[in-house]
Amino acid sequence: MFRLDLDSSADSGQHRRLTEAALRLVSSRTPADFRAAREHDVAPARHVPFLETFGEPDAVVCVCEFCPRLSDLGETVEVLSSGKKPTFRARALPALRLLLSGEPVPLDRVADAVGDEVRPLAEILMGHGWCAPLTPELASGHSGLVADATP
């Protein structure tokens, strides 16, 4: 639908006011402000959803467009990404760092180092759309580029 209430003449007062308002808006935010807001508002990209029918995944990888922001609040940890901000117990921080690193995370291998809560955390993060099971297709994007996450 097109706006019919705007005067198309470039020399109209309305055009001048809109131009001035646009300039104020653009100059009121820095590129860093825009990027910070974009990092937190972008929904996760579409990936094949995790279906329990296929069993538990052996490995997962973070698929967020931007690195989620972890805030250690002492007793708890907040994770901010995609307009969501869930809170976890502080003891989950080492596992969260690995799971949200962007590197493939073999769950059994890292469970020995960060604890058994890595699997339930991976399920929660997959539910948010932040992590996905490491399929052969996703793994091919990491082959030779990054090592598996290590604690």
Side-chain angles (χ1 to χ4, degrees), residues 95-118:
L96 287 168
R97 282 189 177 130
L98 285 174
L99 291 167
L100 298 173
S101 68
E103 300 170 3
V105 179
L107 297 175
D108 287 338
R109 195 166 18 162
V110 300
D112 294 335
V114 298
D116 292 332
E117 68 267 3
V118 72

